[in-house]
Amino acid sequence: MGKKIGILGSGAWGISLAILLEKLNHKIYLWEPLKENYEILIKKRENVDYFKGVKIPYSVEISNSIKEVVSEVEVLIVVVRSAFFRKTIKLLKNLYKNQPVIIGTKGLEYKTDKRMSEIYEEFLNGDNLAVLSGPTIAKEIAEGYPTAAVIASKNEEIGRFFQKLISCEKFRIYTSKDIIGVEIGGAFKNVIAIGAGIIDGLSLGINTKASYLTRGLNEMIKIGVFLGGEEKTFRGLSGLGDLITTSFSKYSRNRSFGEGIVKIGMEEYLKKTKMVIEGIPTTKAFYTLSKKYGIELPITNSIYRILYKRGNPEKEIKRLMLRELKKE
């Protein structure tokens, strides 16, 4: 017998998880907070702005009431975008019934530089909490392509619970206790993916991209370990795995944005897209953290200058290549 699972957030990630879990015979309740979006979802059974062409099964209950969803379910999955995460947890606070909760939202909060689990624990006890991350491009999950991901929790029992709940022939789950590392990897890879897209836009080749991603991983490890993550986590699914996916996939919003910076310009690209580019505020967050703690992150600095100081991508590449020579 499957579980009743509430998914908070009906973007691409939320819908792909709904499709995956519905096939595992769980009863899925999908929450969309905006009335107009909810009405479109009910009418068309798809998110026409953010996940066009992917149909939501009719067995999935779509709701505009978070109270209704939380009251019905045994398990909660939070996948709203990072900018709305705090507001969502505030809403959840007075409705929560001590269900196991998994956070699938990636990123850092723009104003506080906090991870999603840190925000969650401002309002609710984290004993039943886990986080999910890894190479999980939503379109491929929805289409049933096999992948693997990692679930991290301080509570090993909760980690194993979610591992058994979600794992299947299409989605293999590993467990970890390193919540910090899993969350930092899932956020930082978006910064590096923007640069990967810039490299694609400039047609600089695989040597350039391989060198760039290797040094980008080095920056992820440097800031991640400083913030309390374990180095092995960043070399795993939620670090290197997610970094590779996000830096190569044609469905990657952050990589596509980087390519768009070169081909049509940042402002023009942002006017045309309805997608959320998490890497933009995340770049600023990690740049701020690096300056606050005196951590050298040259690639992050270059991406920051391109995004916030209108830096020229080719000049930034030259700056990176000609900076002081060092040991690996």
Side-chain angles (χ1 to χ4, degrees):
M1 186 68 178
K3 297 284 188 183
K4 292 182 177 180
I5 301 175
I7 299 177
L8 306 184
S10 66
W13 191 203
I15 291 171
S16 65
L17 284 172
I19 292 169
L20 174 79
L21 294 169
E22 187 269 345
K23 288 177 181 176
L24 298 180
N25 297 316
H26 299 297
K27 178 60 182 175
I28 307 302
Y29 297 78
L30 186 65
W31 176 62
E32 167 50 56
L34 300 178
K35 185 74 172 176
E36 59 193 77
N37 291 350
Y38 161 74
E39 289 172 353
I40 293 170
L41 289 175
I42 289 291
K43 182 179 179 181
K44 300 198 173 183
R45 304 301 295 188
E46 69 177 281
N47 188 322
V48 294
D49 287 332
Y50 300 110
F51 214 29
K52 194 177 174 83
V54 178
K55 293 293 183 180
I56 301 167
Y58 280 96
S59 61
V60 172
E61 300 278 350
I62 303 171
S63 176
N64 185 228
S65 167
I66 189 171
K67 182 177 181 180
E68 179 182 278
V69 170
V70 175
S71 67
E72 285 285 345
V73 303
E74 302 163 88
V75 177
L76 285 165
I77 301 176
V78 186
V79 288
V80 295
R81 59 193 189 192
S82 61
F84 295 113
F85 188 85
R86 179 178 290 275
K87 184 176 181 180
T88 300
I89 302 306
K90 278 184 181 179
L91 291 173
L92 180 61
K93 181 180 179 182
N94 295 323
L95 306 170
Y96 180 58
K97 302 188 302 179
N98 208 37
Q99 300 103 320
V101 177
I102 193 161
I103 297 171
T105 302
K106 298 176 183 179
L108 299 182
E109 187 174 45
Y110 174 62
K111 291 182 179 179
T112 66
D113 301 334
K114 287 187 175 183
R115 295 174 285 106
M116 298 302 105
S117 67
E118 290 180 293
I119 298 168
Y120 180 93
E121 290 186 315
E122 286 182 28
F123 301 96
L124 293 164
N125 187 294
D127 288 349
N128 286 342
L129 180 67
V131 299
L132 168 67
S133 194
T136 51
I137 292 289
K139 180 80 169 174
E140 296 185 7
I141 300 290
E143 291 179 355
Y145 297 162
T147 192
V150 60
I151 284 175
S153 178
K154 292 179 284 188
N155 183 335
E156 288 189 44
E157 186 178 336
I158 287 293
R160 287 194 299 270
F161 167 80
F162 277 117
Q163 183 181 41
K164 291 177 182 177
L165 184 78
I166 298 174
S167 287
C168 61
E169 64 176 307
K170 303 295 186 182
F171 202 49
R172 182 173 175 83
I173 298 294
Y174 292 83
T175 59
S176 168
K177 294 181 75 175
D178 185 14
I179 288 180
I180 295 174
V182 168
E183 288 189 295
I184 293 296
F188 193 82
K189 54 90 183 182
N190 286 330
V191 178
I192 303 303
I194 292 173
I198 290 170
I199 289 168
D200 290 343
L202 293 170
S203 300
L204 293 178
I206 292 298
N207 288 343
T208 305
K209 199 167 183 179
S211 301
Y212 168 80
L213 292 177
T214 303
R215 297 309 301 170
L217 176 63
N218 183 66
E219 291 194 13
M220 179 191 288
I221 292 169
K222 188 184 291 186
I223 187 73
V225 169
F226 178 84
L227 293 172
E230 299 175 15
E231 182 170 342
K232 68 176 183 179
T233 302
F234 301 109
R235 301 192 188 280
L237 289 164
S238 60
L240 179 59
D242 205 1
L243 176 62
I244 292 170
T245 290
T246 311
S247 297
F248 281 94
S249 173
K250 66 181 179 180
Y251 301 120
S252 166
R253 291 169 289 177
N254 293 281
R255 189 212 62 81
S256 298
F257 168 62
E259 189 171 11
I261 289 173
V262 174
K263 292 189 172 178
I264 63 173
M266 180 163 62
E267 287 80 7
E268 191 63 25
Y269 186 92
L270 291 174
K271 277 183 198 173
K272 289 185 174 183
T273 188
K274 292 183 178 180
M275 303 299 284
V276 177
I277 313 300
E278 292 278 11
I280 298 174
T282 303
T283 296
K284 189 169 187 179
F286 279 111
Y287 174 83
T288 302
L289 286 169
S290 72
K291 296 304 177 186
K292 180 179 179 180
Y293 295 114
I295 300 168
E296 186 183 16
L297 302 177
I299 290 174
T300 304
N301 289 350
S302 283
I303 301 300
Y304 174 82
R305 283 190 291 268
I306 291 168
L307 299 183
Y308 290 95
K309 303 293 183 181
R310 300 301 184 263
N312 179 279
E314 291 175 293
K315 287 183 179 177
E316 288 300 330
I317 291 169
K318 185 176 181 180
R319 185 202 293 257
L320 287 169
M321 294 298 289
L322 294 179
R323 71 189 191 281
E324 181 185 354
L325 298 175
K326 296 187 175 184
K327 292 180 181 179
E328 188 179 33

